[in-house]
Amino acid sequence: MDKANIFENLAKDLTEEQFEPLVNTDNVLVERIISKAHVTPAGQWYDQERSEWVMVMKGAAKLEFETGELLSLKQGDHVNIGAHVKHRVAWTCEQTETIWLAVHY
């Protein structure tokens, strides 16, 4: 069994947002996402087939929903996003990495 730490082995080049699967089965995907000043391009929305539970482990972010709701997330905050609930990343911290733990089910 391999042991890992969610805060270690971060990519040095964060030009692009990083998505790292930690567990991937037919029924569930658990991934670490690393953002630093990343946002979803204007006018684009995530519209996912599966529900997603996401937690900010480090840093801060803002999620925007198609309804106009803007949700600010800080370390330890989490939210469950239902399947096909359109959302986008409106902001992530510029000074430090935002490390997310996401569970798609």
Side-chain angles (χ1 to χ4, degrees), residues 33-96:
I33 305 168
I34 306 168
S35 310
K36 188 172 184 182
H38 293 101
V39 299
T40 306
Q44 292 186 17
W45 299 94
Y46 287 106
D47 183 2
Q48 301 169 151
E49 294 292 321
R50 298 194 282 184
S51 295
E52 177 184 13
W53 175 89
V54 64
M55 174 188 276
V56 172
M57 304 290 292
K58 175 185 174 186
K62 292 181 183 177
L63 294 177
E64 179 182 6
F65 293 85
E66 189 179 42
T67 60
E69 179 181 5
L70 188 63
L71 191 61
S72 295
L73 300 170
K74 63 184 182 322
Q75 184 174 318
D77 289 341
H78 55 89
V79 62
N80 192 60
I81 304 168
H84 298 291
V85 172
K86 291 184 181 179
H87 64 285
R88 60 186 297 278
V89 177
W91 174 85
T92 58
C93 188
E94 296 90 0
Q95 291 78 28
T96 188

Short mmCIF file of all heavy atoms in Angstrom, two decimals, residues 33-96:
data_model
loop_
_atom_site.label_atom_id
_atom_site.label_comp_id
_atom_site.label_asym_id
_atom_site.label_seq_id
_atom_site.Cartn_x
_atom_site.Cartn_y
_atom_site.Cartn_z
N ILE A 33 -7.20 18.67 -6.85
CA ILE A 33 -7.13 19.74 -7.85
C ILE A 33 -6.26 20.85 -7.25
O ILE A 33 -6.44 21.21 -6.09
CB ILE A 33 -8.52 20.29 -8.19
CG1 ILE A 33 -9.44 19.16 -8.65
CG2 ILE A 33 -8.42 21.39 -9.24
CD1 ILE A 33 -10.91 19.56 -8.75
N ILE A 34 -5.33 21.35 -8.03
CA ILE A 34 -4.46 22.42 -7.57
C ILE A 34 -4.66 23.62 -8.50
O ILE A 34 -4.46 23.52 -9.71
CB ILE A 34 -2.98 22.00 -7.56
CG1 ILE A 34 -2.81 20.72 -6.73
CG2 ILE A 34 -2.11 23.13 -7.01
CD1 ILE A 34 -1.46 20.07 -6.89
N SER A 35 -5.07 24.73 -7.89
CA SER A 35 -5.31 25.97 -8.63
C SER A 35 -4.44 27.07 -8.04
O SER A 35 -4.13 27.05 -6.86
CB SER A 35 -6.78 26.41 -8.47
OG SER A 35 -7.67 25.37 -8.76
N LYS A 36 -4.07 28.01 -8.87
CA LYS A 36 -3.38 29.21 -8.39
C LYS A 36 -3.69 30.32 -9.37
O LYS A 36 -3.15 30.37 -10.47
CB LYS A 36 -1.87 29.00 -8.26
CG LYS A 36 -1.17 30.17 -7.58
CD LYS A 36 0.29 29.86 -7.29
CE LYS A 36 0.93 31.00 -6.53
NZ LYS A 36 2.35 30.73 -6.27
N ALA A 37 -4.63 31.17 -8.98
CA ALA A 37 -5.11 32.26 -9.83
C ALA A 37 -5.85 31.74 -11.06
O ALA A 37 -5.94 32.42 -12.06
CB ALA A 37 -3.98 33.20 -10.22
N HIS A 38 -6.37 30.51 -10.99
CA HIS A 38 -7.11 29.95 -12.11
C HIS A 38 -8.60 30.25 -11.98
O HIS A 38 -9.14 30.26 -10.88
CB HIS A 38 -6.92 28.43 -12.20
CG HIS A 38 -5.52 28.05 -12.54
ND1 HIS A 38 -4.63 27.62 -11.59
CD2 HIS A 38 -4.85 28.05 -13.72
CE1 HIS A 38 -3.48 27.35 -12.16
NE2 HIS A 38 -3.58 27.62 -13.46
N VAL A 39 -9.24 30.47 -13.10
CA VAL A 39 -10.69 30.65 -13.17
C VAL A 39 -11.19 29.91 -14.41
O VAL A 39 -10.44 29.67 -15.35
CB VAL A 39 -11.10 32.14 -13.25
CG1 VAL A 39 -10.64 32.90 -12.03
CG2 VAL A 39 -10.58 32.79 -14.51
N THR A 40 -12.48 29.56 -14.39
CA THR A 40 -13.10 29.00 -15.58
C THR A 40 -13.31 30.17 -16.55
O THR A 40 -13.78 31.24 -16.15
CB THR A 40 -14.47 28.38 -15.21
OG1 THR A 40 -14.28 27.44 -14.14
CG2 THR A 40 -15.08 27.68 -16.41
N PRO A 41 -12.95 30.00 -17.81
CA PRO A 41 -13.12 31.10 -18.76
C PRO A 41 -14.54 31.66 -18.76
O PRO A 41 -15.51 30.91 -18.60
CB PRO A 41 -12.77 30.46 -20.11
CG PRO A 41 -11.84 29.33 -19.76
CD PRO A 41 -12.35 28.81 -18.43
N ALA A 42 -14.64 32.96 -18.94
CA ALA A 42 -15.94 33.64 -18.95
C ALA A 42 -16.87 32.97 -19.96
O ALA A 42 -16.46 32.62 -21.07
CB ALA A 42 -15.75 35.11 -19.30
N GLY A 43 -18.11 32.78 -19.53
CA GLY A 43 -19.12 32.18 -20.41
C GLY A 43 -19.10 30.66 -20.45
O GLY A 43 -19.96 30.06 -21.07
N GLN A 44 -18.11 30.03 -19.81
CA GLN A 44 -18.05 28.57 -19.77
C GLN A 44 -18.54 28.07 -18.42
O GLN A 44 -18.27 28.68 -17.38
CB GLN A 44 -16.63 28.08 -20.04
CG GLN A 44 -16.18 28.33 -21.45
CD GLN A 44 -14.83 27.70 -21.74
OE1 GLN A 44 -14.35 26.82 -21.02
NE2 GLN A 44 -14.19 28.15 -22.81
N TRP A 45 -19.24 26.94 -18.44
CA TRP A 45 -19.82 26.35 -17.22
C TRP A 45 -19.50 24.87 -17.18
O TRP A 45 -19.51 24.20 -18.21
CB TRP A 45 -21.34 26.53 -17.22
CG TRP A 45 -21.77 27.95 -17.22
CD1 TRP A 45 -22.09 28.70 -18.32
CD2 TRP A 45 -21.91 28.81 -16.10
NE1 TRP A 45 -22.41 29.98 -17.93
CE2 TRP A 45 -22.32 30.07 -16.58
CE3 TRP A 45 -21.73 28.65 -14.73
CZ2 TRP A 45 -22.55 31.16 -15.73
CZ3 TRP A 45 -21.96 29.73 -13.89
CH2 TRP A 45 -22.37 30.97 -14.39
N TYR A 46 -19.21 24.38 -15.97
CA TYR A 46 -19.15 22.93 -15.78
C TYR A 46 -20.59 22.44 -15.71
O TYR A 46 -21.42 22.99 -14.99
CB TYR A 46 -18.45 22.58 -14.46
CG TYR A 46 -16.96 22.79 -14.48
CD1 TYR A 46 -16.38 23.87 -13.81
CD2 TYR A 46 -16.11 21.90 -15.14
CE1 TYR A 46 -15.00 24.06 -13.82
CE2 TYR A 46 -14.74 22.09 -15.15
CZ TYR A 46 -14.19 23.16 -14.49
OH TYR A 46 -12.84 23.35 -14.49
N ASP A 47 -20.89 21.41 -16.47
CA ASP A 47 -22.20 20.75 -16.47
C ASP A 47 -21.91 19.26 -16.45
O ASP A 47 -21.82 18.61 -17.48
CB ASP A 47 -23.00 21.16 -17.72
CG ASP A 47 -24.40 20.57 -17.74
OD1 ASP A 47 -24.78 19.86 -16.78
OD2 ASP A 47 -25.11 20.80 -18.74
N GLN A 48 -21.73 18.73 -15.25
CA GLN A 48 -21.19 17.39 -15.06
C GLN A 48 -22.29 16.33 -14.97
O GLN A 48 -23.35 16.57 -14.41
CB GLN A 48 -20.30 17.36 -13.81
CG GLN A 48 -19.16 18.34 -13.94
CD GLN A 48 -18.39 18.58 -12.66
OE1 GLN A 48 -17.23 18.88 -12.72
NE2 GLN A 48 -19.02 18.48 -11.51
N GLU A 49 -21.96 15.17 -15.49
CA GLU A 49 -22.89 14.02 -15.47
C GLU A 49 -23.12 13.50 -14.06
O GLU A 49 -24.20 12.99 -13.77
CB GLU A 49 -22.33 12.88 -16.33
CG GLU A 49 -22.26 13.20 -17.81
CD GLU A 49 -23.63 13.34 -18.45
OE1 GLU A 49 -24.53 12.56 -18.10
OE2 GLU A 49 -23.79 14.25 -19.29
N ARG A 50 -22.12 13.62 -13.20
CA ARG A 50 -22.22 13.10 -11.83
C ARG A 50 -22.21 14.25 -10.84
O ARG A 50 -21.74 15.35 -11.13
CB ARG A 50 -21.05 12.16 -11.53
CG ARG A 50 -21.01 10.95 -12.43
CD ARG A 50 -20.07 9.89 -11.91
NE ARG A 50 -18.68 10.22 -12.19
CZ ARG A 50 -17.67 9.40 -11.91
NH1 ARG A 50 -17.88 8.24 -11.35
NH2 ARG A 50 -16.44 9.76 -12.19
N SER A 51 -22.71 14.00 -9.64
CA SER A 51 -22.62 14.96 -8.55
C SER A 51 -21.16 15.08 -8.13
O SER A 51 -20.35 14.17 -8.34
CB SER A 51 -23.47 14.52 -7.36
OG SER A 51 -24.84 14.52 -7.71
N GLU A 52 -20.84 16.23 -7.50
CA GLU A 52 -19.48 16.47 -7.04
C GLU A 52 -19.52 17.10 -5.66
O GLU A 52 -20.17 18.11 -5.45
CB GLU A 52 -18.74 17.40 -8.00
CG GLU A 52 -17.34 17.76 -7.55
CD GLU A 52 -16.64 18.76 -8.47
OE1 GLU A 52 -17.33 19.36 -9.31
OE2 GLU A 52 -15.43 18.94 -8.32
N TRP A 53 -18.81 16.47 -4.72
CA TRP A 53 -18.57 17.06 -3.40
C TRP A 53 -17.16 17.58 -3.45
O TRP A 53 -16.23 16.89 -3.87
CB TRP A 53 -18.72 15.99 -2.32
CG TRP A 53 -18.39 16.47 -0.95
CD1 TRP A 53 -19.24 17.05 -0.06
CD2 TRP A 53 -17.11 16.41 -0.29
NE1 TRP A 53 -18.57 17.35 1.11
CE2 TRP A 53 -17.26 16.97 0.98
CE3 TRP A 53 -15.85 15.95 -0.67
CZ2 TRP A 53 -16.21 17.07 1.89
CZ3 TRP A 53 -14.81 16.05 0.22
CH2 TRP A 53 -15.00 16.60 1.49
N VAL A 54 -16.97 18.85 -3.06
CA VAL A 54 -15.65 19.44 -3.14
C VAL A 54 -15.33 20.20 -1.85
O VAL A 54 -16.21 20.83 -1.27
CB VAL A 54 -15.52 20.35 -4.39
CG1 VAL A 54 -16.44 21.53 -4.32
CG2 VAL A 54 -14.10 20.80 -4.61
N MET A 55 -14.07 20.10 -1.40
CA MET A 55 -13.59 20.79 -0.20
C MET A 55 -12.32 21.54 -0.52
O MET A 55 -11.46 21.02 -1.24
CB MET A 55 -13.31 19.80 0.94
CG MET A 55 -12.66 20.46 2.16
SD MET A 55 -12.10 19.27 3.39
CE MET A 55 -13.61 19.02 4.27
N VAL A 56 -12.21 22.75 -0.01
CA VAL A 56 -10.96 23.50 -0.10
C VAL A 56 -10.10 23.07 1.09
O VAL A 56 -10.45 23.31 2.24
CB VAL A 56 -11.20 25.03 -0.10
CG1 VAL A 56 -9.87 25.77 0.02
CG2 VAL A 56 -11.94 25.45 -1.35
N MET A 57 -8.99 22.42 0.79
CA MET A 57 -8.07 21.94 1.83
C MET A 57 -7.07 23.02 2.22
O MET A 57 -6.60 23.07 3.34
CB MET A 57 -7.32 20.70 1.34
CG MET A 57 -8.22 19.56 0.87
SD MET A 57 -9.09 18.77 2.22
CE MET A 57 -7.76 17.99 3.07
N LYS A 58 -6.73 23.88 1.26
CA LYS A 58 -5.76 24.97 1.48
C LYS A 58 -6.10 26.07 0.50
O LYS A 58 -6.53 25.80 -0.62
CB LYS A 58 -4.34 24.46 1.23
CG LYS A 58 -3.27 25.54 1.31
CD LYS A 58 -1.91 24.99 0.92
CE LYS A 58 -0.89 26.12 0.86
NZ LYS A 58 0.40 25.66 0.35
N GLY A 59 -5.91 27.31 0.90
CA GLY A 59 -6.15 28.43 0.00
C GLY A 59 -7.59 28.93 0.09
O GLY A 59 -8.25 28.77 1.12
N ALA A 60 -8.08 29.49 -1.01
CA ALA A 60 -9.43 30.04 -1.04
C ALA A 60 -9.90 30.09 -2.49
O ALA A 60 -9.09 30.13 -3.42
CB ALA A 60 -9.45 31.44 -0.43
N ALA A 61 -11.23 30.09 -2.65
CA ALA A 61 -11.81 30.12 -3.99
C ALA A 61 -13.22 30.67 -3.93
O ALA A 61 -13.82 30.78 -2.86
CB ALA A 61 -11.82 28.69 -4.56
N LYS A 62 -13.74 31.00 -5.11
CA LYS A 62 -15.14 31.39 -5.25
C LYS A 62 -15.74 30.59 -6.39
O LYS A 62 -15.16 30.52 -7.48
CB LYS A 62 -15.28 32.89 -5.55
CG LYS A 62 -14.86 33.75 -4.38
CD LYS A 62 -15.03 35.23 -4.69
CE LYS A 62 -14.53 36.05 -3.49
NZ LYS A 62 -14.60 37.49 -3.75
N LEU A 63 -16.88 29.98 -6.12
CA LEU A 63 -17.64 29.27 -7.14
C LEU A 63 -18.84 30.11 -7.51
O LEU A 63 -19.52 30.65 -6.63
CB LEU A 63 -18.12 27.90 -6.63
CG LEU A 63 -17.05 26.86 -6.33
CD1 LEU A 63 -17.71 25.60 -5.78
CD2 LEU A 63 -16.26 26.53 -7.59
N GLU A 64 -19.12 30.21 -8.79
CA GLU A 64 -20.29 30.92 -9.28
C GLU A 64 -21.22 29.89 -9.90
O GLU A 64 -20.78 29.00 -10.63
CB GLU A 64 -19.88 31.96 -10.32
CG GLU A 64 -21.05 32.72 -10.89
CD GLU A 64 -20.64 33.71 -11.97
OE1 GLU A 64 -19.45 33.73 -12.36
OE2 GLU A 64 -21.51 34.45 -12.43
N PHE A 65 -22.51 30.03 -9.61
CA PHE A 65 -23.51 29.14 -10.16
C PHE A 65 -24.33 29.88 -11.20
O PHE A 65 -24.47 31.11 -11.15
CB PHE A 65 -24.39 28.58 -9.04
CG PHE A 65 -23.62 27.68 -8.11
CD1 PHE A 65 -22.90 28.22 -7.04
CD2 PHE A 65 -23.56 26.32 -8.33
CE1 PHE A 65 -22.15 27.41 -6.21
CE2 PHE A 65 -22.81 25.50 -7.49
CZ PHE A 65 -22.11 26.04 -6.43
N GLU A 66 -24.87 29.14 -12.15
CA GLU A 66 -25.64 29.76 -13.23
C GLU A 66 -26.81 30.59 -12.69
O GLU A 66 -27.25 31.54 -13.33
CB GLU A 66 -26.15 28.67 -14.18
CG GLU A 66 -26.77 29.22 -15.44
CD GLU A 66 -27.25 28.13 -16.38
OE1 GLU A 66 -27.84 27.14 -15.91
OE2 GLU A 66 -27.03 28.29 -17.59
N THR A 67 -27.27 30.27 -11.50
CA THR A 67 -28.36 31.01 -10.87
C THR A 67 -27.93 32.42 -10.44
O THR A 67 -28.76 33.23 -10.05
CB THR A 67 -28.87 30.27 -9.63
OG1 THR A 67 -27.78 30.15 -8.69
CG2 THR A 67 -29.41 28.90 -9.97
N GLY A 68 -26.62 32.68 -10.45
CA GLY A 68 -26.09 33.96 -10.01
C GLY A 68 -25.50 33.91 -8.61
O GLY A 68 -24.85 34.85 -8.17
N GLU A 69 -25.70 32.80 -7.90
CA GLU A 69 -25.14 32.66 -6.56
C GLU A 69 -23.62 32.60 -6.64
O GLU A 69 -23.05 31.90 -7.48
CB GLU A 69 -25.67 31.40 -5.89
CG GLU A 69 -25.13 31.18 -4.50
CD GLU A 69 -25.64 29.89 -3.84
OE1 GLU A 69 -26.34 29.11 -4.49
OE2 GLU A 69 -25.30 29.69 -2.66
N LEU A 70 -22.94 33.33 -5.76
CA LEU A 70 -21.49 33.32 -5.65
C LEU A 70 -21.14 32.79 -4.27
O LEU A 70 -21.56 33.34 -3.26
CB LEU A 70 -20.92 34.72 -5.86
CG LEU A 70 -19.41 34.83 -5.97
CD1 LEU A 70 -18.90 34.08 -7.20
CD2 LEU A 70 -18.98 36.28 -6.04
N LEU A 71 -20.38 31.70 -4.23
CA LEU A 71 -20.07 31.02 -2.97
C LEU A 71 -18.58 31.15 -2.70
O LEU A 71 -17.75 30.67 -3.48
CB LEU A 71 -20.47 29.55 -3.11
CG LEU A 71 -20.48 28.68 -1.87
CD1 LEU A 71 -21.47 29.20 -0.84
CD2 LEU A 71 -20.84 27.25 -2.26
N SER A 72 -18.22 31.83 -1.60
CA SER A 72 -16.82 31.97 -1.20
C SER A 72 -16.44 30.78 -0.33
O SER A 72 -17.15 30.45 0.62
CB SER A 72 -16.61 33.27 -0.42
OG SER A 72 -16.84 34.37 -1.25
N LEU A 73 -15.31 30.16 -0.63
CA LEU A 73 -14.84 28.99 0.11
C LEU A 73 -13.44 29.27 0.65
O LEU A 73 -12.57 29.75 -0.07
CB LEU A 73 -14.78 27.77 -0.80
CG LEU A 73 -16.09 27.33 -1.45
CD1 LEU A 73 -15.83 26.27 -2.50
CD2 LEU A 73 -17.06 26.83 -0.41
N LYS A 74 -13.26 28.95 1.94
CA LYS A 74 -11.94 29.05 2.57
C LYS A 74 -11.56 27.66 3.06
O LYS A 74 -12.34 26.72 2.95
CB LYS A 74 -11.97 30.06 3.71
CG LYS A 74 -12.88 29.69 4.84
CD LYS A 74 -12.93 30.78 5.90
CE LYS A 74 -13.79 30.43 7.09
NZ LYS A 74 -15.01 29.72 6.89
N GLN A 75 -10.37 27.54 3.59
CA GLN A 75 -9.87 26.26 4.07
C GLN A 75 -10.89 25.57 4.96
O GLN A 75 -11.41 26.16 5.90
CB GLN A 75 -8.57 26.48 4.85
CG GLN A 75 -7.91 25.22 5.31
CD GLN A 75 -6.56 25.49 5.93
OE1 GLN A 75 -5.80 26.29 5.43
NE2 GLN A 75 -6.28 24.81 7.03
N GLY A 76 -11.22 24.33 4.61
CA GLY A 76 -12.16 23.52 5.39
C GLY A 76 -13.59 23.59 4.90
O GLY A 76 -14.40 22.73 5.24
N ASP A 77 -13.92 24.60 4.08
CA ASP A 77 -15.29 24.70 3.55
C ASP A 77 -15.50 23.66 2.47
O ASP A 77 -14.60 23.35 1.67
CB ASP A 77 -15.54 26.09 2.96
CG ASP A 77 -15.62 27.18 4.01
OD1 ASP A 77 -15.84 26.87 5.20
OD2 ASP A 77 -15.47 28.36 3.64
N HIS A 78 -16.72 23.12 2.43
CA HIS A 78 -17.05 22.15 1.40
C HIS A 78 -18.48 22.34 0.94
O HIS A 78 -19.31 22.94 1.63
CB HIS A 78 -16.82 20.70 1.88
CG HIS A 78 -17.54 20.35 3.14
ND1 HIS A 78 -18.81 19.82 3.16
CD2 HIS A 78 -17.16 20.44 4.44
CE1 HIS A 78 -19.18 19.60 4.40
NE2 HIS A 78 -18.20 19.98 5.21
N VAL A 79 -18.76 21.84 -0.26
CA VAL A 79 -20.08 21.99 -0.86
C VAL A 79 -20.36 20.77 -1.73
O VAL A 79 -19.45 20.18 -2.31
CB VAL A 79 -20.16 23.30 -1.69
CG1 VAL A 79 -19.18 23.31 -2.84
CG2 VAL A 79 -21.57 23.56 -2.18
N ASN A 80 -21.63 20.39 -1.77
CA ASN A 80 -22.08 19.31 -2.65
C ASN A 80 -22.79 19.94 -3.84
O ASN A 80 -23.74 20.71 -3.67
CB ASN A 80 -23.01 18.36 -1.91
CG ASN A 80 -23.24 17.09 -2.68
OD1 ASN A 80 -22.31 16.35 -2.97
ND2 ASN A 80 -24.49 16.84 -3.02
N ILE A 81 -22.35 19.62 -5.03
CA ILE A 81 -22.91 20.18 -6.26
C ILE A 81 -23.60 19.03 -7.01
O ILE A 81 -22.94 18.06 -7.40
CB ILE A 81 -21.82 20.81 -7.14
CG1 ILE A 81 -21.03 21.87 -6.34
CG2 ILE A 81 -22.42 21.40 -8.40
CD1 ILE A 81 -19.76 22.34 -7.01
N GLY A 82 -24.89 19.13 -7.18
CA GLY A 82 -25.64 18.07 -7.86
C GLY A 82 -25.26 17.94 -9.32
O GLY A 82 -24.75 18.89 -9.94
N ALA A 83 -25.53 16.79 -9.88
CA ALA A 83 -25.30 16.56 -11.31
C ALA A 83 -26.06 17.61 -12.11
O ALA A 83 -27.19 17.98 -11.76
CB ALA A 83 -25.76 15.15 -11.69
N HIS A 84 -25.43 18.11 -13.15
CA HIS A 84 -25.99 19.09 -14.09
C HIS A 84 -26.31 20.45 -13.47
O HIS A 84 -27.02 21.25 -14.08
CB HIS A 84 -27.22 18.52 -14.81
CG HIS A 84 -26.88 17.33 -15.65
ND1 HIS A 84 -26.10 17.42 -16.79
CD2 HIS A 84 -27.17 16.02 -15.47
CE1 HIS A 84 -25.95 16.20 -17.29
NE2 HIS A 84 -26.58 15.34 -16.52
N VAL A 85 -25.79 20.73 -12.27
CA VAL A 85 -25.89 22.09 -11.70
C VAL A 85 -24.72 22.87 -12.30
O VAL A 85 -23.56 22.60 -11.98
CB VAL A 85 -25.84 22.08 -10.16
CG1 VAL A 85 -25.74 23.50 -9.62
CG2 VAL A 85 -27.05 21.35 -9.59
N LYS A 86 -25.03 23.80 -13.17
CA LYS A 86 -23.99 24.53 -13.89
C LYS A 86 -23.27 25.48 -12.93
O LYS A 86 -23.90 26.25 -12.22
CB LYS A 86 -24.58 25.29 -15.06
CG LYS A 86 -25.06 24.36 -16.16
CD LYS A 86 -25.55 25.13 -17.35
CE LYS A 86 -26.03 24.17 -18.42
NZ LYS A 86 -26.54 24.90 -19.60
N HIS A 87 -21.93 25.39 -12.96
CA HIS A 87 -21.10 26.19 -12.08
C HIS A 87 -19.75 26.44 -12.75
O HIS A 87 -19.40 25.78 -13.72
CB HIS A 87 -20.92 25.50 -10.72
CG HIS A 87 -20.19 24.20 -10.81
ND1 HIS A 87 -20.78 23.05 -11.30
CD2 HIS A 87 -18.92 23.86 -10.49
CE1 HIS A 87 -19.90 22.05 -11.27
NE2 HIS A 87 -18.76 22.52 -10.79
N ARG A 88 -19.03 27.40 -12.19
CA ARG A 88 -17.70 27.72 -12.69
C ARG A 88 -16.85 28.23 -11.54
O ARG A 88 -17.37 28.68 -10.52
CB ARG A 88 -17.76 28.77 -13.81
CG ARG A 88 -18.38 30.08 -13.41
CD ARG A 88 -18.57 31.06 -14.57
NE ARG A 88 -17.32 31.45 -15.18
CZ ARG A 88 -16.52 32.41 -14.70
NH1 ARG A 88 -16.86 33.08 -13.61
NH2 ARG A 88 -15.40 32.70 -15.31
N VAL A 89 -15.55 28.14 -11.70
CA VAL A 89 -14.62 28.72 -10.72
C VAL A 89 -14.45 30.19 -11.10
O VAL A 89 -13.96 30.51 -12.18
CB VAL A 89 -13.27 27.98 -10.72
CG1 VAL A 89 -12.31 28.64 -9.75
CG2 VAL A 89 -13.47 26.50 -10.38
N ALA A 90 -14.91 31.08 -10.22
CA ALA A 90 -14.87 32.51 -10.49
C ALA A 90 -13.56 33.15 -10.01
O ALA A 90 -13.17 34.21 -10.51
CB ALA A 90 -16.05 33.21 -9.82
N TRP A 91 -12.88 32.51 -9.03
CA TRP A 91 -11.64 33.07 -8.48
C TRP A 91 -10.94 32.01 -7.66
O TRP A 91 -11.58 31.20 -6.99
CB TRP A 91 -11.98 34.27 -7.59
CG TRP A 91 -10.82 34.84 -6.85
CD1 TRP A 91 -9.93 35.76 -7.32
CD2 TRP A 91 -10.42 34.54 -5.51
NE1 TRP A 91 -9.00 36.05 -6.35
CE2 TRP A 91 -9.28 35.31 -5.22
CE3 TRP A 91 -10.91 33.69 -4.52
CZ2 TRP A 91 -8.62 35.26 -4.00
CZ3 TRP A 91 -10.26 33.63 -3.30
CH2 TRP A 91 -9.13 34.42 -3.05
N THR A 92 -9.62 31.99 -7.74
CA THR A 92 -8.80 31.25 -6.78
C THR A 92 -7.65 32.16 -6.36
O THR A 92 -7.23 33.05 -7.11
CB THR A 92 -8.25 29.92 -7.34
OG1 THR A 92 -7.48 30.17 -8.51
CG2 THR A 92 -9.38 28.94 -7.65
N CYS A 93 -7.14 31.93 -5.18
CA CYS A 93 -6.10 32.75 -4.57
C CYS A 93 -4.89 32.89 -5.50
O CYS A 93 -4.45 31.92 -6.10
CB CYS A 93 -5.70 32.12 -3.24
SG CYS A 93 -4.58 33.14 -2.27
N GLU A 94 -4.40 34.11 -5.60
CA GLU A 94 -3.22 34.39 -6.44
C GLU A 94 -1.92 34.16 -5.68
O GLU A 94 -0.89 33.88 -6.29
CB GLU A 94 -3.24 35.84 -6.95
CG GLU A 94 -4.41 36.18 -7.86
CD GLU A 94 -5.64 36.68 -7.12
OE1 GLU A 94 -5.62 36.78 -5.87
OE2 GLU A 94 -6.65 36.95 -7.79
N GLN A 95 -1.93 34.31 -4.35
CA GLN A 95 -0.69 34.26 -3.56
C GLN A 95 -0.23 32.85 -3.22
O GLN A 95 0.95 32.62 -3.02
CB GLN A 95 -0.86 35.04 -2.25
CG GLN A 95 -0.99 36.54 -2.41
CD GLN A 95 -2.38 36.95 -2.87
OE1 GLN A 95 -3.37 36.28 -2.60
NE2 GLN A 95 -2.47 38.06 -3.58
N THR A 96 -1.15 31.91 -3.13
CA THR A 96 -0.80 30.54 -2.75
C THR A 96 -1.67 29.57 -3.52
O THR A 96 -2.70 29.94 -4.08
CB THR A 96 -0.95 30.33 -1.22
OG1 THR A 96 -0.41 29.06 -0.88
CG2 THR A 96 -2.40 30.41 -0.79
#
